[in-house]
Amino acid sequence: MAVREGFRSTSGGLRDCFPLRLYAKAKRLGTWDPAAIDFTRDREDWAALGELERETILSLTSLFAAGEEAVTLDLLPLVLAIARDGRVEEELYLTSFLFEEGKHTELFARFLSEVAGSPPELERYHVPSYRTIFYDELPAAMNRLLTDTSAEALARASVTYNVIVEGVLAETGYESYHESLAANGLMPGLCAALVEIKRDESRHIAYGIYLLSRLVASDAAIWDVIEARMNELFPYALGVVTETFERYEDGVTPFGLEQSAFVDFATSQFTKRYERISKSRGKTLAEIDALAEAETDA
Ligand code: MN3
Ligand code: FE
């Protein structure tokens, strides 16, 4: 590790850049409290749901609860890698990132105990593709950063965490909650929390896209690493959808959910991120910053 040569704060001040602007947004928008969400109506709705509907919400929530815990536990190696690189503006943003993942973990844990009644053995919903991503690939890619902070290792970690887990799987999961609950006027507490979580998550994804874009801007060869990693993991992301739908016998699904709609949704999220990152090839860092600002709704 290099010896410190100085501090940003005392040599010109913090640099105006996209991560610092994301940090400003996080301070305004990321301060909602999971403990303040009112689950009164949710408990009534839960009690009135049919068996199949309940199973569906439980399955989805089991994927989210474990997924949020995983991203909370696995983020620190990235924060450390960024800190060791002296990127203080990015680290300021990342302080909010970990706080928000912690709150998401809290929210789903609350829902499972206070609305769903702490059902046992929720890991039975963790289908094989889910296990590959959350039990193996995510912790491996993130923990590699403890000993290897090369651009290649950073790119593989960020694709796994920000693009596949957040940008494809979480986004597809919100869509599934929306079609099941909000579209049917059910569980207003969880739906209100999901609006906040989704907004937090859009900042996380925007940061990941920025990070990957600046890696490509510094070394065009990193695009090949990103592309290979995206293609390596995308089948597992789709597998989470298709293996989850396999549980429904004779194609009978609750809430009118259709597998093809979610496969299409996941594919469109993947394609959108792929095209967005590929645009950073041949761009300068200033152009990357402007592109991130212009294209994010975070
Ligand atoms: Mn989250
Ligand atoms: Fe996130």
Side-chain angles (χ1 to χ4, degrees), residues 68 71 97 101 104 161-162 166 174 200-201 204-205:
E68 298 289 4
V71 295
F97 195 136
E101 297 301 10
H104 302 171
Y161 193 117
N162 305 114
E166 299 189 307
Y174 303 136
D200 294 345
E201 221 56 70
H204 303 174
I205 296 165

Side-chain angles (χ1 to χ4, degrees), residues 35-166:
I37 297 289
D38 181 359
F39 283 136
T40 311
R41 262 274 314 279
D42 299 57
R43 277 189 283 271
E44 293 165 16
D45 289 344
W46 179 261
L49 282 184
E51 185 69 20
L52 190 60
E53 281 76 16
R54 216 180 273 184
E55 278 284 304
T56 300
I57 299 305
L58 213 46
S59 163
L60 185 56
T61 306
S62 158
L63 303 185
F64 263 101
E68 298 289 4
E69 183 174 327
V71 295
T72 303
L73 291 170
D74 294 337
L75 183 63
L76 271 174
L78 175 65
V79 183
L80 182 61
I82 295 297
R84 282 176 166 170
D85 206 16
R87 295 180 183 273
V88 68
E89 294 86 358
E90 288 189 32
E91 188 174 350
L92 288 187
Y93 171 64
L94 289 169
T95 62
S96 72
F97 195 136
L98 183 55
F99 176 53
E100 288 165 6
E101 297 301 10
K103 292 199 297 171
H104 302 171
T105 302
E106 177 190 357
L107 186 280
F108 289 105
R110 255 202 83 200
F111 180 87
L112 285 173
S113 68
E114 296 177 31
V115 178
S118 305
E121 293 167 23
L122 288 172
E123 286 167 8
R124 71 182 184 279
Y125 296 115
H126 298 174
V127 293
S129 286
Y130 183 91
R131 286 176 183 267
T132 298
I133 294 176
F134 288 93
Y135 288 58
D136 303 330
E137 293 290 345
L138 180 68
M142 301 309 290
N143 283 316
R144 178 175 162 189
L145 298 176
L146 294 173
T147 51
D148 175 5
T149 56
S150 64
E152 186 199 339
L154 279 164
R156 286 174 56 88
S158 179
V159 166
T160 311
Y161 193 117
N162 305 114
V163 179
I164 298 295
V165 168
E166 299 189 307

Side-chain angles (χ1 to χ4, degrees), residues 18 20-31 100 203 293 296-298:
F18 180 68
L20 203 58
R21 295 191 291 273
L22 268 187
Y23 172 62
K25 274 183 190 162
K27 284 186 295 173
R28 277 190 286 112
L29 304 173
T31 54
E100 288 165 6
R203 290 190 299 276
E293 190 67 32
T296 184
D297 52 1

